[in-house]
Amino acid sequence: MSRILTRRRLMTTGLSALAGASGIAIAARLADRYGLIPPDHGGVYGAGETLTYAAQRLLTSRGSMAREFRRDQISKVAPVNGGVPSSLDYRALATHRFSDWELGVDGLVARRSSFTLADLKRMPATSQITHQACEEGWSFIAEWTGVQLSQLLNLVGVSASAKYVVFYAYDDLWESIDMDDALHPQTLLAYGMNGQDLPTPHGAPIRLRVPRQLGYKSLKYLAQITVVDSLKDLGQGLGSVSPELGYSWYAGI
Ligand SMILES: Nc1nc2c(c(=O)[nH]1)N[C@H]1C(S)=C(S)[C@@H](COP(=O)(O)O)O[C@H]1N2
Ligand SMILES: [Mo]
């Protein structure tokens, strides 16, 4: 065996040994040392959320991919969760087929920017046929087309201190993901579904797709993206609305 343990190996071994031997608290402290405490850890070392998130991030490689499916496996029915935003702003945008829509990108970036739908469609497109699973127990497979979030982040220049990307939607929901998921090749800003423009109930004009996590992380009706180094000052400081409602911030599958 090599004399030099890799950082990942050391942390993984340490985490599981400690979790088994002297309890979760010490494992969580180790996770903290490596910056792997999720925003909704509950303020007390030892929360299950911390172990789930830290273990996933340590045990699975950064580039691990969500499963992709064949075209003949696309679901005939795609259920919808949540209503179409009722705000006047959103309705006006929809009336003009989102030609006035702009996605603002700010926070810890070199160039604050905004992108129209046409801007995004001019960027290199990618498609994926992936599974979207709702925490309520239903799921479907669909083809999603859009721009990799990493492409957009590279364009605006993310600062070295960035830790999370926060997304705001027209129905006042918001979500966040860590840089691992933000830069992952399957994390998309999707404007197409099953070969057509993204239907309004599925999040037009643009939704996030994070196929390595449960459906609620794939925020629909995007309005704004903000890059941050901490989630403490946003909302209740738990990283998104989901933990405020009892769902964990990290929903890896
Ligand atoms: N803005 C916004 N995004 C959202 C939701 C929502 O209500 N509003 N619902 C979430 C949930 S719980 C799931 S399971 C998926 C559902 O996506 P779908 O409606 O395209 O099936 O979107 C997620 N993104
Ligand atoms: Mo969901």
Side-chain angles (χ1 to χ4, degrees):
M1 195 171 79
S2 157
R3 281 193 306 127
I4 304 161
L5 283 173
T6 63
R7 196 178 92 125
R8 174 183 297 273
R9 176 97 161 273
L10 188 64
M11 289 191 289
T12 309
T13 315
L15 266 177
S16 44
L18 289 169
S22 39
I24 285 165
I26 303 170
R29 211 162 299 149
L30 193 60
D32 185 31
R33 178 128 54 96
Y34 292 100
L36 292 171
I37 300 280
D40 61 341
H41 63 85
V44 182
Y45 289 132
E49 264 72 29
T50 297
L51 280 183
T52 308
Y53 177 56
Q56 275 265 6
R57 282 292 175 263
L58 294 172
L59 294 172
T60 58
S61 85
R62 253 181 201 179
S64 77
M65 302 292 269
R67 181 172 168 200
E68 300 208 10
F69 296 82
R70 298 187 312 268
R71 191 151 276 133
D72 61 276
Q73 293 173 298
I74 290 174
S75 304
K76 304 256 177 323
V77 178
V80 165
N81 186 300
V84 174
S86 55
S87 71
L88 290 177
D89 281 2
Y90 183 81
R91 278 195 277 172
L93 290 169
T95 307
H96 300 118
R97 303 188 64 224
F98 301 104
S99 54
D100 311 323
W101 175 90
E102 286 193 354
L103 180 67
V105 185
D106 64 10
L108 298 172
V109 298
R111 295 167 289 279
R112 291 172 159 235
S113 315
S114 62
F115 297 85
T116 65
L117 190 52
D119 290 337
L120 294 174
K121 285 185 171 175
R122 266 195 297 273
M123 291 169 62
T126 174
S127 288
Q128 55 169 255
I129 300 175
T130 50
H131 185 235
Q132 177 162 271
C134 176
E135 74 295 348
E136 292 168 2
W138 48 268
S139 68
F140 63 93
I141 293 168
E143 180 175 37
W144 309 94
T145 302
V147 181
Q148 288 169 322
L149 177 63
S150 62
Q151 297 251 0
L152 187 101
L153 294 177
N154 286 338
L155 269 182
V156 299
V158 169
S159 102
S161 56
K163 282 199 73 182
Y164 304 98
V165 181
V166 185
F167 304 86
Y168 297 94
Y170 272 96
D171 58 1
D172 292 336
L173 282 185
W174 61 284
E175 261 301 344
S176 65
I177 56 178
D178 68 5
M179 294 312 294
D180 256 28
D181 266 323
L183 300 176
H184 188 272
Q186 288 175 311
T187 300
L188 297 192
L189 298 173
Y191 49 72
M193 181 180 172
N194 295 335
Q196 298 184 324
D197 282 349
L198 187 65
T200 297
H202 288 289
I206 298 266
R207 79 175 305 162
L208 183 64
R209 269 298 287 150
V210 190
R212 298 198 301 177
Q213 296 203 45
L214 287 176
Y216 61 80
K217 300 298 287 189
S218 289
L219 197 69
K220 306 194 279 190
Y221 317 111
L222 291 188
Q224 173 75 31
I225 294 180
T226 304
V227 180
V228 299
D229 59 1
S230 165
L231 299 164
K232 277 205 299 286
D233 298 330
L234 303 175
Q236 295 179 16
L238 302 176
S240 66
V241 179
S242 314
E244 298 175 7
L245 304 172
Y247 297 103
S248 64
W249 169 80
Y250 182 70
I253 40 180

